[in-house]
Amino acid sequence: MDYPNDRRDEYYDDNTVNQTPWQNYTEPMRTPPRRRKSRGWIAVVAVLIVALAAAIGVWRWVQDYSVQLERTPDGVTLRVQERANDTAESEPAQTTEAETPEETSTTPKTQSAAQPGLHSDTELTLQAGHAGAPTASSDDEDALSLQEIYEKMIPSVVSIVTDSGTGTGIVMSEDGYLITNCHVIAQAQQITAMTWDEQTYTAALVGSDEASDLAVLKIEPDEPLTAAEFGDSDALRVGDTVVAIGDPLGVKLRGTMTNGIVSAINRNLMVNDREMTLIQTNAALNNGNSGGPLINCYGQVVGVNAVKLSSYYSQATVEGLGFAIPISTAKPIIDELIQNGYVTGRPAIGISGEQLPAAARVYYGLPEGVYVTYVSPDSGAWAAGVRKGDIITAINGTAVSSVDALNTVKNRYSAGDTVTLTIYRSGQSADVDITLMDEALQSQQ
């Protein structure tokens, strides 16, 4: 403790270590009356400490022993008995009598923790089992309960496992055609499908379409599968009850059902440089639900869940914002994938390119744009004179600085349409007209 008059100098020596600073510095303060008064207080404190210690000792003794007076034919007997101690080793209690000792029974102290009457033959009684009451999904008389929807749909939901991740699929037909998302099987070397009864099959890729994020797989089941029933997504209204079934976070949670409502319809979002019209729902969707069914109150598939799309909506963590591809939109694409393996009519410029790094542009004095790395020989771009090393700075007068920006404008047109590209080459810019080719033909080259 620091004192106001504390001085660390020659006034301190070994004999004054235990004295307060002002006593070391000012001699007149150490008067006889003050010493006698201090000693008197010390004596009082000492007496109080001794009395307290004695009281504690008596209290502990009372806790450890019980004293009883008993009348016997021979007189009065004083009985002193040690109390049970849970922490002490088990040993018989000792009894001291004033005249004649009596035999006492001993009980292991480990049993003293349980009070008499706590242990018995009583058992937990379970009542006869009852199934939970059906949970209504809609007031419509044809609507199914949530339990009935699950029982109807679970045989038509499969787990999709690849060497790069997992997802969910929908049984489209008894002979083994399955629907899922394109991003679930993208770049996969091996694809397997596990049915609801845990039968595993190798799945072949029938066709996929990155623009719509849809893919069709085919397995060869031992027995006919239970095909899902598909409804009309155009009939949905905001507020309609929907449920999702899938494998959130992987196959360990396979067959999970979540419910919610249709939060919005015809929700237009930019996904992979293409605008998509989606169903928005607050039914809980997580990674692994991708490719699974969004189901209406009649047990019909009305959408293909595509939870990956939520990451394009916002970089922040969000809750209750799931998106599904309307089945009415997906049907023609799925049919074409089954028939051809690809979707025809999608526009393509016929080039490959990449965004120019800012450092490279500044160093070489180049404009913003898409640097052309490849030109298909059969494309309209090649016929118009576009070559590797050119920089596309605009399409139909709209400036572009990335491949996504270029494709966003290009996707507004169809194969066979004509667009104008602004090309920068050797310090000069020029406009060229090209005819868009079929994207499917470009991918086959």
Side-chain angles (χ1 to χ4, degrees):
M1 178 174 179
D2 295 330
Y3 297 91
N5 296 328
D6 193 4
R7 293 192 179 185
R8 305 297 179 183
D9 52 23
E10 67 273 14
Y11 290 100
Y12 287 89
D13 55 30
D14 294 338
N15 296 326
T16 62
V17 172
N18 296 324
Q19 298 174 345
T20 57
W22 52 79
Q23 289 174 331
N24 292 326
Y25 183 72
T26 309
E27 287 295 327
M29 294 181 63
R30 302 193 310 183
T31 59
R34 291 182 178 273
R35 285 199 300 270
R36 286 196 297 271
K37 186 176 181 180
S38 298
R39 291 176 182 176
W41 279 108
I42 293 174
V44 171
V45 172
V47 171
L48 292 176
I49 292 175
V50 172
L52 179 61
I56 292 175
V58 172
W59 178 81
R60 287 183 176 178
W61 186 86
V62 171
Q63 294 296 315
D64 293 336
Y65 296 92
S66 61
V67 181
Q68 296 178 350
L69 293 176
E70 296 183 357
R71 292 185 177 276
T72 63
D74 299 329
V76 178
T77 301
L78 176 65
R79 182 184 298 275
V80 180
Q81 184 174 355
E82 184 180 1
R83 296 179 183 272
N85 188 350
D86 291 340
T87 59
E89 297 182 357
S90 300
E91 59 182 359
Q94 298 179 355
T95 302
T96 303
E97 296 185 355
E99 296 183 359
T100 304
E102 295 182 357
E103 183 179 356
T104 59
S105 61
T106 61
T107 303
K109 293 184 179 180
T110 54
Q111 297 180 5
S112 63
Q115 300 178 11
L118 290 183
H119 295 285
S120 68
D121 295 333
T122 303
E123 296 181 355
L124 177 65
T125 302
L126 301 180
Q127 300 298 324
H130 295 281
T135 304
S137 61
S138 172
D139 293 335
D140 192 290
E141 60 180 3
D142 296 328
L144 305 178
S145 67
L146 295 182
Q147 292 87 341
E148 291 171 333
I149 292 174
Y150 187 82
E151 292 173 358
K152 176 181 178 179
M153 277 301 306
I154 190 61
S156 303
V157 180
V158 295
S159 301
I160 306 297
V161 181
T162 74
D163 50 351
S164 59
T166 63
T168 308
I170 308 167
V171 177
M172 174 185 165
S173 64
E174 294 181 351
D175 58 350
Y177 280 99
L178 311 175
I179 302 170
T180 189
N181 284 143
C182 178
H183 74 260
V184 170
I185 51 84
Q187 302 178 347
Q189 301 299 318
Q190 283 186 320
I191 307 174
T192 59
M194 182 188 300
T195 56
W196 71 285
D197 55 356
E198 299 188 354
Q199 299 297 314
T200 303
Y201 301 93
T202 299
L205 178 61
V206 176
S208 63
D209 181 52
E210 184 178 1
S212 63
D213 198 21
L214 291 170
V216 177
L217 308 176
K218 181 67 168 64
I219 62 174
E220 301 298 333
D222 299 331
E223 298 179 355
L225 302 177
T226 302
E229 181 181 341
F230 295 87
D232 183 7
S233 58
D234 292 337
L236 289 175
R237 300 174 301 170
V238 174
D240 285 352
T241 297
V242 289
V243 301
I245 300 178
D247 300 357
L249 306 182
V251 295
K252 288 185 177 181
L253 300 178
R254 63 191 303 262
T256 296
M257 184 174 81
T258 56
N259 70 312
I261 62 170
V262 174
S263 303
I265 56 177
N266 299 326
R267 182 70 80 189
N268 294 326
L269 298 179
M270 293 301 301
V271 182
N272 291 335
D273 61 53
R274 181 180 294 273
E275 186 175 75
M276 297 184 66
T277 302
L278 305 171
I279 302 168
Q280 182 180 329
T281 178
N282 68 339
L285 301 177
N286 295 279
N287 292 336
N289 279 112
S290 296
L294 186 70
I295 310 159
N296 64 13
C297 62
Y298 308 108
Q300 300 170 327
V301 178
V302 292
V304 180
N305 295 323
V307 295
K308 182 180 179 181
L309 306 184
S310 63
S311 64
Y312 290 91
Y313 184 77
S314 173
Q315 296 299 322
T317 300
V318 296
E319 299 292 340
L321 284 178
F323 299 94
I325 304 166
I327 201 63
S328 298
T329 303
K331 173 180 166 42
I333 298 172
I334 293 170
D335 292 342
E336 194 163 356
L337 290 176
I338 294 175
Q339 183 178 357
N340 304 320
Y342 56 87
V343 177
T344 60
R346 295 276 167 76
I349 297 174
I351 60 121
S352 296
E354 61 185 24
Q355 183 176 356
L356 282 172
R361 288 192 298 101
V362 173
Y363 183 81
Y364 292 105
L366 301 175
E368 283 190 321
V370 176
Y371 182 81
V372 178
T373 58
Y374 170 79
V375 183
S376 173
D378 297 329
S379 66
W382 180 275
V386 180
R387 296 294 183 268
K388 178 181 177 180
D390 289 345
I391 300 175
I392 302 175
T393 60
I395 176 173
N396 281 355
T398 301
V400 294
S401 59
S402 65
V403 176
D404 287 347
L406 177 63
N407 288 335
T408 297
V409 179
K410 177 259 297 180
N411 289 334
R412 299 171 185 170
Y413 302 89
S414 301
D417 292 344
T418 300
V419 296
T420 301
L421 299 180
T422 302
I423 304 296
Y424 176 88
R425 180 192 299 171
S426 301
Q428 296 182 347
S429 295
D431 291 339
V432 295
D433 294 333
I434 68 166
T435 301
L436 297 174
M437 65 184 301
D438 194 313
E439 187 179 66
L441 299 178
Q442 176 181 315
S443 62
Q444 292 178 353
Q445 295 176 357

Short mmCIF file of all heavy atoms in Angstrom, two decimals, residues 12-36:
data_model
loop_
_atom_site.label_atom_id
_atom_site.label_comp_id
_atom_site.label_asym_id
_atom_site.label_seq_id
_atom_site.Cartn_x
_atom_site.Cartn_y
_atom_site.Cartn_z
N TYR A 12 14.72 4.74 6.57
CA TYR A 12 14.29 3.34 6.67
C TYR A 12 15.51 2.48 6.93
O TYR A 12 16.56 2.65 6.31
CB TYR A 12 13.62 2.87 5.37
CG TYR A 12 12.26 3.45 5.17
CD1 TYR A 12 12.09 4.67 4.50
CD2 TYR A 12 11.14 2.80 5.65
CE1 TYR A 12 10.84 5.22 4.35
CE2 TYR A 12 9.88 3.34 5.48
CZ TYR A 12 9.74 4.56 4.83
OH TYR A 12 8.49 5.08 4.66
N ASP A 13 15.33 1.52 7.87
CA ASP A 13 16.38 0.54 8.10
C ASP A 13 15.72 -0.79 8.42
O ASP A 13 14.50 -0.91 8.40
CB ASP A 13 17.31 0.99 9.23
CG ASP A 13 16.56 1.30 10.51
OD1 ASP A 13 15.49 0.67 10.74
OD2 ASP A 13 17.02 2.16 11.28
N ASP A 14 16.49 -1.79 8.72
CA ASP A 14 15.95 -3.13 8.95
C ASP A 14 15.05 -3.17 10.15
O ASP A 14 14.21 -4.06 10.27
CB ASP A 14 17.09 -4.12 9.12
CG ASP A 14 17.89 -4.29 7.83
OD1 ASP A 14 17.31 -3.98 6.75
OD2 ASP A 14 19.04 -4.75 7.91
N ASN A 15 15.19 -2.26 11.10
CA ASN A 15 14.38 -2.29 12.31
C ASN A 15 13.04 -1.61 12.13
O ASN A 15 12.21 -1.62 13.03
CB ASN A 15 15.14 -1.61 13.46
CG ASN A 15 16.40 -2.37 13.81
OD1 ASN A 15 16.41 -3.60 13.71
ND2 ASN A 15 17.45 -1.65 14.19
N THR A 16 12.84 -1.00 11.01
CA THR A 16 11.59 -0.25 10.82
C THR A 16 10.77 -0.77 9.66
O THR A 16 9.90 -0.09 9.15
CB THR A 16 11.91 1.23 10.57
OG1 THR A 16 12.69 1.33 9.38
CG2 THR A 16 12.65 1.85 11.75
N VAL A 17 11.08 -1.97 9.21
CA VAL A 17 10.38 -2.52 8.05
C VAL A 17 8.90 -2.67 8.31
O VAL A 17 8.08 -2.41 7.45
CB VAL A 17 11.00 -3.87 7.65
CG1 VAL A 17 10.16 -4.54 6.58
CG2 VAL A 17 12.43 -3.68 7.19
N ASN A 18 8.54 -3.08 9.51
CA ASN A 18 7.14 -3.35 9.83
C ASN A 18 6.42 -2.13 10.37
O ASN A 18 5.31 -2.24 10.87
CB ASN A 18 7.04 -4.49 10.85
CG ASN A 18 7.56 -5.78 10.27
OD1 ASN A 18 7.39 -6.04 9.08
ND2 ASN A 18 8.22 -6.58 11.11
N GLN A 19 7.04 -0.98 10.35
CA GLN A 19 6.41 0.23 10.84
C GLN A 19 5.84 1.02 9.69
O GLN A 19 6.28 0.91 8.56
CB GLN A 19 7.42 1.08 11.59
CG GLN A 19 7.99 0.39 12.83
CD GLN A 19 9.10 1.18 13.45
OE1 GLN A 19 9.62 2.10 12.84
NE2 GLN A 19 9.45 0.84 14.69
N THR A 20 4.83 1.81 10.00
CA THR A 20 4.23 2.64 8.96
C THR A 20 5.16 3.78 8.62
O THR A 20 6.01 4.18 9.44
CB THR A 20 2.89 3.20 9.44
OG1 THR A 20 3.10 3.93 10.64
CG2 THR A 20 1.89 2.10 9.69
N PRO A 21 5.07 4.35 7.44
CA PRO A 21 6.05 5.38 7.01
C PRO A 21 6.13 6.57 7.94
O PRO A 21 7.21 7.08 8.19
CB PRO A 21 5.51 5.78 5.64
CG PRO A 21 4.79 4.57 5.16
CD PRO A 21 4.17 3.98 6.39
N TRP A 22 4.97 7.05 8.42
CA TRP A 22 5.08 8.26 9.24
C TRP A 22 5.71 7.97 10.60
O TRP A 22 6.27 8.83 11.22
CB TRP A 22 3.70 8.91 9.41
CG TRP A 22 2.63 8.00 9.89
CD1 TRP A 22 2.40 7.57 11.12
CD2 TRP A 22 1.64 7.39 9.06
NE1 TRP A 22 1.33 6.74 11.17
CE2 TRP A 22 0.83 6.61 9.90
CE3 TRP A 22 1.35 7.43 7.68
CZ2 TRP A 22 -0.25 5.87 9.41
CZ3 TRP A 22 0.28 6.70 7.21
CH2 TRP A 22 -0.51 5.93 8.07
N GLN A 23 5.65 6.70 11.08
CA GLN A 23 6.34 6.35 12.33
C GLN A 23 7.85 6.37 12.14
O GLN A 23 8.61 6.71 13.01
CB GLN A 23 5.88 5.00 12.83
CG GLN A 23 4.44 5.03 13.35
CD GLN A 23 3.95 3.64 13.71
OE1 GLN A 23 4.41 2.68 13.14
NE2 GLN A 23 3.05 3.58 14.67
N ASN A 24 8.32 5.94 10.95
CA ASN A 24 9.75 5.95 10.69
C ASN A 24 10.28 7.37 10.54
O ASN A 24 11.41 7.68 10.89
CB ASN A 24 10.04 5.18 9.41
CG ASN A 24 9.75 3.71 9.59
OD1 ASN A 24 9.95 3.22 10.68
ND2 ASN A 24 9.31 3.04 8.54
N TYR A 25 9.46 8.23 10.01
CA TYR A 25 9.93 9.57 9.69
C TYR A 25 9.75 10.54 10.85
O TYR A 25 10.55 11.41 11.07
CB TYR A 25 9.18 10.08 8.46
CG TYR A 25 9.65 11.44 8.00
CD1 TYR A 25 10.88 11.59 7.40
CD2 TYR A 25 8.84 12.56 8.20
CE1 TYR A 25 11.31 12.84 6.97
CE2 TYR A 25 9.26 13.80 7.77
CZ TYR A 25 10.50 13.96 7.16
OH TYR A 25 10.92 15.19 6.75
N THR A 26 8.70 10.39 11.66
CA THR A 26 8.42 11.33 12.74
C THR A 26 8.44 10.61 14.08
O THR A 26 7.53 9.86 14.39
CB THR A 26 7.05 11.99 12.54
OG1 THR A 26 7.00 12.50 11.21
CG2 THR A 26 6.83 13.10 13.54
N GLU A 27 9.46 10.81 14.85
CA GLU A 27 9.62 10.14 16.12
C GLU A 27 8.55 10.49 17.14
O GLU A 27 8.09 9.65 17.89
CB GLU A 27 11.00 10.45 16.70
CG GLU A 27 12.15 9.75 15.99
CD GLU A 27 12.05 8.26 16.15
OE1 GLU A 27 11.59 7.81 17.22
OE2 GLU A 27 12.44 7.54 15.23
N PRO A 28 8.10 11.76 17.27
CA PRO A 28 7.12 12.11 18.31
C PRO A 28 5.82 11.34 18.21
O PRO A 28 5.08 11.27 19.19
CB PRO A 28 6.89 13.60 18.08
CG PRO A 28 8.13 14.09 17.44
CD PRO A 28 8.59 12.96 16.59
N MET A 29 5.50 10.74 17.07
CA MET A 29 4.24 10.01 16.92
C MET A 29 4.26 8.71 17.70
O MET A 29 3.22 8.16 17.99
CB MET A 29 3.94 9.70 15.44
CG MET A 29 3.68 10.95 14.61
SD MET A 29 3.32 10.56 12.91
CE MET A 29 1.81 9.64 13.08
N ARG A 30 5.45 8.19 18.04
CA ARG A 30 5.51 6.91 18.74
C ARG A 30 5.51 7.19 20.24
O ARG A 30 6.51 7.12 20.93
CB ARG A 30 6.77 6.16 18.33
CG ARG A 30 6.82 5.93 16.82
CD ARG A 30 7.87 4.94 16.44
NE ARG A 30 9.16 5.24 17.05
CZ ARG A 30 10.26 4.53 16.79
NH1 ARG A 30 10.18 3.50 15.96
NH2 ARG A 30 11.39 4.84 17.35
N THR A 31 4.39 7.55 20.82
CA THR A 31 4.27 7.87 22.24
C THR A 31 3.82 6.65 23.00
O THR A 31 3.16 5.76 22.47
CB THR A 31 3.24 8.99 22.43
OG1 THR A 31 2.00 8.56 21.91
CG2 THR A 31 3.69 10.27 21.72
N PRO A 32 4.14 6.57 24.35
CA PRO A 32 3.73 5.42 25.18
C PRO A 32 2.24 5.17 25.19
O PRO A 32 1.81 4.02 25.08
CB PRO A 32 4.27 5.77 26.56
CG PRO A 32 5.43 6.64 26.28
CD PRO A 32 5.07 7.45 25.07
N PRO A 33 1.39 6.23 25.30
CA PRO A 33 -0.05 5.94 25.32
C PRO A 33 -0.53 5.21 24.07
O PRO A 33 -1.38 4.35 24.13
CB PRO A 33 -0.68 7.32 25.46
CG PRO A 33 0.37 8.14 26.11
CD PRO A 33 1.66 7.65 25.57
N ARG A 34 0.01 5.59 22.95
CA ARG A 34 -0.42 4.94 21.71
C ARG A 34 -0.02 3.48 21.71
O ARG A 34 -0.75 2.62 21.24
CB ARG A 34 0.18 5.66 20.50
CG ARG A 34 -0.39 7.05 20.30
CD ARG A 34 0.21 7.68 19.04
NE ARG A 34 -0.36 8.99 18.82
CZ ARG A 34 -1.48 9.23 18.15
NH1 ARG A 34 -2.15 8.21 17.66
NH2 ARG A 34 -1.93 10.45 18.00
N ARG A 35 1.18 3.17 22.30
CA ARG A 35 1.61 1.77 22.32
C ARG A 35 0.71 0.96 23.23
O ARG A 35 0.34 -0.15 22.92
CB ARG A 35 3.07 1.71 22.79
CG ARG A 35 4.06 2.17 21.72
CD ARG A 35 5.45 1.65 22.05
NE ARG A 35 5.90 2.15 23.35
CZ ARG A 35 6.56 3.28 23.51
NH1 ARG A 35 6.85 4.03 22.47
NH2 ARG A 35 6.95 3.67 24.70
N ARG A 36 0.39 1.54 24.45
CA ARG A 36 -0.46 0.78 25.37
C ARG A 36 -1.85 0.58 24.76
O ARG A 36 -2.47 -0.46 24.91
CB ARG A 36 -0.54 1.55 26.71
CG ARG A 36 0.72 1.44 27.54
CD ARG A 36 0.42 1.86 28.96
NE ARG A 36 0.02 3.26 29.02
CZ ARG A 36 0.86 4.26 29.17
NH1 ARG A 36 2.17 4.04 29.27
NH2 ARG A 36 0.41 5.50 29.24
#
